[in-house]
Amino acid sequence: MKHPARILVVGGGYVGMYTALRLQRKLRKELEGGTVEIVVVDPEPYMTYQPFLPEAAAGSISPRHVVVPLRRVLPLCQVVIGEVTGIDHAKRTATVKTLATEEEGTGAVETRYDELVLAPGSISRTLPVPGLADFGIGFKTVEEAIGLRNHVLEQLDIASSTRDPAVRDAALTFVFVGGGYAGVEALAELEDMARYAVRYYHNIRPGDMKWLLVEATGRILPEVGEEMGEYAVRELRGRNIDVRLNTRLETCEDRVAVLDDGSRFPTRTLVWTAGVKPHPILAATEFPLTERGRLKCTAALQVAGVEHAWGAGDAAAVPDVTADEPGKECAPNAQHAVRQAKVLAENIAAAIRGEPLQDYAHKYVGSVASLGLHKGVAHVYGRKLKGYPAWFMHRAYHLSRVPTFNRKARVLAEWTLAAFFKREIVSLGSLEHPRAEFELAAGTGRHNEAS
């Protein structure tokens, strides 16, 4: 019996989910007829819309509305919650480790495929900074965003209740490393939230908090252009946020952030957003990689020199055919990822049907960034916007891009309600350790006292 043609999608992020979603539509007859299968492998059962993470951290959007359940939007696909640990493309097999294989103790299983889509995305790029692994906080997943929100509010509680000035100062000092989208938007949104929250603390004033942004280069938000980047710096400094350009973090041992200009900041909060790097699965394959570890791809989104293998998104180095200078690659951002996924799905369907492929071509139109509630910067189609218009454009653009009508409606409803009601500033830190209360009760006999 002939096996159906299997498309294995490694990664359920922007590219993985959008590619599988479009393949569902393009190959519906084949999928329903059993001649084609689509298997999506990802460690999480959802796709995270990362541009909304800062607003989720600030409480403007519910965390469950920034994620899209893969099984709901991909009903014709097989969604496997696991991780691809190895690929043997000569044999057309991938080694997959799932939750079940760990429980069974049988080790990873081999999965065959006919067409391979590599879209594992990226992970945080860390540096060997002493203390970073022990005290740093990332900002790439919804869990990290909500954990950071709870952590910031917890620091306000610590500062409000301590009698030790050193503990209070460290709790009210927040250090963010990295002046890209993630760092600037996370800092701006959380500072906005914290400034609002302290009105409910009898002994904390907004001026008691220290917010610090550390950037190794001479500018922040390079995607919005030099002029808008300088405006963003002025805007942040106008809110008493200490922006340190051309500065690096030397060490953060013992909860003390030491910068290369000699400054020392005792702090209980150090957020690391200094860039990303391709997923390590790529290094475990024999596919051609660039110097930065990204997958070498053609303009048709095929892995260079390899048949039946495809790539796009953060992990792929795709030639920018619209660029004036030769050899330029598409930037690893959501604007390209979503559009690449569309072309990728079209090309895979065309390859299966023996039809010609098309090249990916999209001229970068610009960027928008939020600087907190009602504040932002934008450089789109050559036009520069700042303040409320840029913030409104930021929200409108990302609302149009978040997948599914369901999510669009829920996010819009939350924004509408927020215009009439006050912010939610409750910390749910116990979510990170849900069994702590029960373990305490079981260990001390408190459950007997309550009965």
Side-chain angles (χ1 to χ4, degrees):
M1 181 179 176
K2 185 179 179 180
H3 290 291
R6 175 175 290 173
I7 303 168
L8 177 63
V9 181
V10 180
Y14 285 119
V15 173
M17 193 207 74
Y18 277 110
T19 300
L21 188 63
R22 193 163 187 87
L23 281 171
Q24 272 190 162
R25 299 169 187 159
K26 297 290 294 182
L27 302 175
R28 176 175 286 274
K29 290 182 180 179
E30 290 88 340
L31 289 165
E32 292 176 343
T35 58
V36 172
E37 291 179 346
I38 301 173
V39 178
V40 180
V41 181
D42 194 84
E44 303 294 345
Y46 51 79
M47 183 273 262
T48 303
Y49 191 71
Q50 291 181 344
F52 278 159
L53 288 183
E55 291 206 46
S60 300
I61 301 176
S62 173
R64 66 183 184 277
H65 296 159
V66 304
V67 298
V68 181
L70 294 176
R71 288 193 174 90
R72 179 184 293 180
V73 299
L74 302 174
L76 300 181
C77 301
Q78 299 176 30
V79 177
V80 178
I81 306 307
E83 189 173 1
V84 173
T85 57
I87 296 171
D88 187 339
H89 194 62
K91 296 181 179 178
R92 300 286 195 275
T93 60
T95 307
V96 182
K97 182 174 66 175
T98 69
L99 296 176
T101 58
E102 291 184 8
E103 288 290 330
E104 295 165 357
T106 55
V109 297
E110 279 196 350
T111 299
R112 69 163 190 87
Y113 63 82
D114 297 283
E115 300 287 339
L116 176 67
V117 178
L118 280 167
S122 57
I123 61 173
S124 295
R125 177 175 58 86
T126 58
L127 298 175
V129 176
L132 180 61
D134 298 317
F135 304 113
I137 303 171
F139 196 80
K140 192 161 174 57
T141 68
V142 67
E143 293 85 359
E144 288 175 328
I146 304 312
L148 181 56
R149 166 188 170 81
N150 292 333
H151 174 83
V152 168
L153 292 174
E154 184 181 79
Q155 299 316 301
L156 299 184
D157 291 332
I158 291 172
S160 177
S161 56
T162 185
R163 295 183 179 179
D164 187 330
V167 171
R168 176 185 168 93
D169 287 347
L172 293 178
T173 301
F174 306 93
V175 179
F176 286 68
V177 182
Y181 279 122
V184 172
E185 291 192 343
L187 167 64
E189 291 283 356
L190 285 164
E191 188 273 339
D192 230 3
M193 179 201 73
R195 191 160 22 87
Y196 177 87
V198 296
R199 68 178 64 184
Y200 298 105
Y201 289 81
H202 70 284
N203 58 350
I204 303 179
R205 300 290 178 268
D208 297 338
M209 296 186 291
K210 297 176 187 173
W211 293 83
L212 178 69
L213 177 64
V214 180
E215 168 54 39
T217 68
R219 57 195 290 196
I220 66 172
L221 298 174
E223 298 87 351
V224 299
E226 186 173 354
E227 183 182 338
M228 290 296 97
E230 291 174 354
Y231 166 80
V233 170
R234 292 196 302 272
E235 165 68 26
L236 294 176
R237 286 174 174 166
R239 289 156 58 177
N240 288 325
I241 296 172
D242 188 353
V243 180
R244 301 285 180 101
L245 302 177
N246 298 308
T247 307
R248 296 179 183 273
L249 177 70
E250 290 282 321
T251 173
C252 55
E253 290 180 301
D254 301 323
R255 293 188 181 274
V256 178
V258 180
L259 309 184
D260 63 0
D261 63 3
S263 304
R264 296 170 58 88
F265 296 90
T267 178
R268 295 175 55 88
T269 308
L270 190 138
V271 184
W272 181 269
T273 60
V276 296
K277 63 182 180 181
H279 196 282
I281 181 58
L282 297 181
T285 70
E286 296 180 355
F287 295 122
L289 305 179
T290 65
E291 293 179 356
R292 296 188 176 184
R294 297 171 74 194
L295 194 65
K296 286 185 180 179
C297 293
T298 67
L301 304 177
Q302 292 176 300
V303 176
V306 182
E307 294 184 344
H308 307 291
W310 312 77
D314 288 1
V318 179
D320 187 351
V321 299
T322 66
D324 296 329
E325 61 269 31
K328 187 174 181 181
E329 299 170 355
C330 295
N333 56 37
Q335 187 177 141
H336 281 299
V338 174
R339 290 172 171 83
Q340 285 174 0
K342 179 181 177 181
V343 175
L344 179 55
E346 297 281 348
N347 281 351
I348 294 173
I352 290 175
R353 294 169 175 168
E355 299 170 357
L357 309 182
Q358 60 176 308
D359 286 348
Y360 170 74
H362 170 68
K363 193 166 183 64
Y364 193 63
V365 299
S367 299
V368 291
S370 169
L371 298 178
L373 193 63
H374 301 156
K375 298 175 283 290
V377 290
H379 189 181
V380 181
Y381 292 112
R383 299 192 63 183
K384 299 169 185 176
L385 299 173
K386 55 189 179 183
Y388 186 90
W391 171 83
F392 183 83
M393 178 179 285
H394 175 270
R395 281 198 162 185
Y397 173 77
H398 287 300
L399 183 65
S400 71
R401 291 300 171 185
V402 69
T404 78
F405 177 78
N406 180 303
R407 286 294 175 274
K408 295 182 200 296
R410 289 178 183 272
V411 169
L412 183 59
E414 287 195 303
W415 284 343
T416 303
L417 288 173
F420 299 98
F421 298 99
K422 295 180 179 180
R423 279 180 186 258
E424 290 289 348
I425 54 167
V426 177
S427 169
L428 297 175
S430 58
L431 286 175
E432 296 158 42
H433 307 286
R435 294 193 67 246
E437 181 68 20
F438 180 79
E439 289 171 351
L440 178 64
T444 62
R446 287 172 59 189
H447 57 299
N448 293 327
E449 296 174 13
S451 59

